[in-house]
């Protein structure tokens, strides 16, 4: 079997889910839609900045957080199977996987924020810190900027093992 990359997996799942842009979500909020923002980033990312009122459930515990009788159970999320859920992450890829998982677990109205919080911030929609203080969009721009380090880049002479 040919090895798939992360990008391959995202591309494979994306056609099977619904995605929305920040401006679409803004319209839904202005209409008064009852949205649950589910932030699937790691807790330290969420603590730095997030959408006010969003629920943080890291992707790694999502499957147990959406069901009763687990240490990770999030009652608000368990009860949200018929609610409009907007799944967010940094750039919109982890949210693709989380949206797909939620759909398989019975969530009817779930969408992935296509550009992630990076796009949310670029569209000047509000983000807050752990204390609820509004984050300046320029601070968000710096935080969400690509921070790929040299040692994380694929070496020019790298050959994939078979």
């Amino acid at each position: 079997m040919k090895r798939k990359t992360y990008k391959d997996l995202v591309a494979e799942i994306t056609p099977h889910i619904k995605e929305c842009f920040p401006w679409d979500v803004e319209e839904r909020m202005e209409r008064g839609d009852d949205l649950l923002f589910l932030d699937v980033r790691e807790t330290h990312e969420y603590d730095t900045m997030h959408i006010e009122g969003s629920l943080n459930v890291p992707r790694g515990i999502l499957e147990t957080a959406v069901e009763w009788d687990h240490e990770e159970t999030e009652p608000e999320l368990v009860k949200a199977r018929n609610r409009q859920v907007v799944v967010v992450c940094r750039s919109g890829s982890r949210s693709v996987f989380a949206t797909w998982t939620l759909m398989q677990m019975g969530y009817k109205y779930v969408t992935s924020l296509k550009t992630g919080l990076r796009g949310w911030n670029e569209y000047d929609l509000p983000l807050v810190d752990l204390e609820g203080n509004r984050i300046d969009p320029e601070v968000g721009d710096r935080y969400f900027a690509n921070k790929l380090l040299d040692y994380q880049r694929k070496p020019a002479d790298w050959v994939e093992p078979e």
Side-chain angles (χ1 to χ4, degrees):
M1 176 183 347
K2 181 183 179 283
R3 181 182 85 83
K4 293 182 182 183
T5 66
Y6 180 74
K7 288 181 180 180
D8 293 336
L9 293 173
V10 171
E12 191 175 291
I13 293 170
T14 300
H16 304 287
I17 67 163
K18 291 181 182 172
E19 292 184 290
C20 57
F21 287 100
W23 48 89
D24 300 320
V25 178
E26 182 181 43
E27 286 177 15
R28 292 166 67 187
M29 291 167 48
E30 288 172 354
R31 273 197 318 255
D33 290 5
D34 180 29
L35 304 178
L36 171 61
F37 288 96
L38 176 62
D39 191 321
V40 296
R41 296 175 302 149
E42 296 299 315
T43 303
H44 70 276
E45 295 175 280
Y46 178 86
D47 289 350
T48 302
M49 63 184 67
H50 57 271
I51 296 172
E52 188 171 16
S54 60
L55 179 63
N56 179 225
V57 176
R59 205 179 126 232
I61 62 166
L62 183 61
E63 292 82 359
T64 53
V66 302
E67 293 187 346
W68 294 112
D69 303 321
H70 296 279
E71 290 180 11
E72 299 85 9
T73 298
E74 285 291 342
E76 182 178 11
L77 189 54
V78 175
K79 296 174 187 176
R81 279 187 170 77
N82 292 313
R83 191 169 168 197
Q84 294 182 54
V85 178
V86 178
V87 184
V88 302
C89 66
R90 179 177 179 267
S91 63
S93 294
R94 285 178 281 181
S95 60
V96 165
F97 291 107
T99 298
W100 177 242
T101 297
L102 290 172
M103 289 171 59
Q104 292 178 73
M105 298 185 81
Y107 287 76
K108 293 182 174 75
Y109 309 105
V110 59
T111 57
S112 173
L113 184 63
K114 189 166 180 73
T115 58
L117 292 180
R118 180 186 301 173
W120 182 270
N121 183 69
E122 287 175 5
Y123 193 63
D124 288 333
L125 291 170
L127 293 169
V128 297
D129 64 18
L130 193 56
E131 286 80 36
N133 300 311
R134 177 99 189 249
I135 301 292
D136 183 284
E138 289 183 22
V139 172
D141 288 344
R142 287 192 300 276
Y143 178 76
F144 292 120
N146 190 340
K147 297 175 183 74
L148 190 63
L149 302 173
D150 286 340
Y151 75 87
Q152 294 172 315
R153 297 182 188 282
K154 182 164 78 172
D157 61 349
W158 177 256
V159 177
E160 288 291 333
E162 293 185 30

